Amino acid sequence: MRAFTDAQGRTARVEYLMPQGSGAPRLARRLTRSFMAGRTCDTAADAELVVSELVTNATRASDGRCRMSLRIDADELTVAVHDDGPGLPRLRPASQSAEGGRGITLVRALARRWSVEPHPQGGKTVRAVLAPC
């Protein structure tokens, strides 16, 4: 874990290397809840859901490890998850019978904006910016 805070306490950033396995999304939610503690922010529950979806996708798309960063700056919360997997996330049509495939649609609905940045060496970073805190 790496953590940074500016002198005025307005900008805070943490970065975590998430463990392999199915427990990573649960840990991501817990770490997000801890990061948001003490802040008056209506988007804390949304942030937990977004990190859970992005970390789930990242651990499925790669060798099971990913990096997650959280940043509060200019009254916005930015969630970024990087993995080394080859594919890019995409929006899929919702299916009533499917048990999965709605994660990016959910992220899109909760975030003010989101993006995918492919990396030349492989992998990608998925970023979601949530409403002001």
Side-chain angles (χ1 to χ4, degrees), residues 82-88 117-125:
H82 173 81
D83 70 71
D84 295 325
L88 299 177
E117 179 186 345
H119 296 279
Q121 304 82 13
K124 72 266 182 199
T125 299

Side-chain angles (χ1 to χ4, degrees), residues 35-104:
F35 179 72
M36 301 298 290
R39 292 180 171 83
T40 55
C41 187
D42 295 334
T43 60
D46 292 349
E48 286 185 51
L49 193 51
V50 167
V51 299
S52 184
E53 292 298 333
L54 295 183
V55 168
T56 296
N57 287 351
T59 56
R60 289 180 179 167
S62 67
D63 66 356
R65 297 195 74 129
C66 65
R67 286 190 321 268
M68 176 185 78
S69 68
L70 304 169
R71 178 184 175 102
I72 291 181
D73 187 28
D75 295 327
E76 291 183 325
L77 171 65
T78 301
V79 175
V81 177
H82 173 81
D83 70 71
D84 295 325
L88 299 177
R90 63 186 200 288
L91 292 170
R92 293 190 219 172
S95 167
Q96 296 292 336
S97 60
E99 290 186 24
R102 296 180 185 91
I104 293 299

Side-chain angles (χ1 to χ4, degrees), residues 4 11-14 16 30-39 70-72 77-78:
F4 307 93
T11 301
R13 179 174 179 263
V14 292
Y16 303 98
R30 193 179 78 207
L31 293 169
T32 302
R33 196 172 17 235
S34 177
F35 179 72
M36 301 298 290
R39 292 180 171 83
L70 304 169
R71 178 184 175 102
I72 291 181
L77 171 65
T78 301

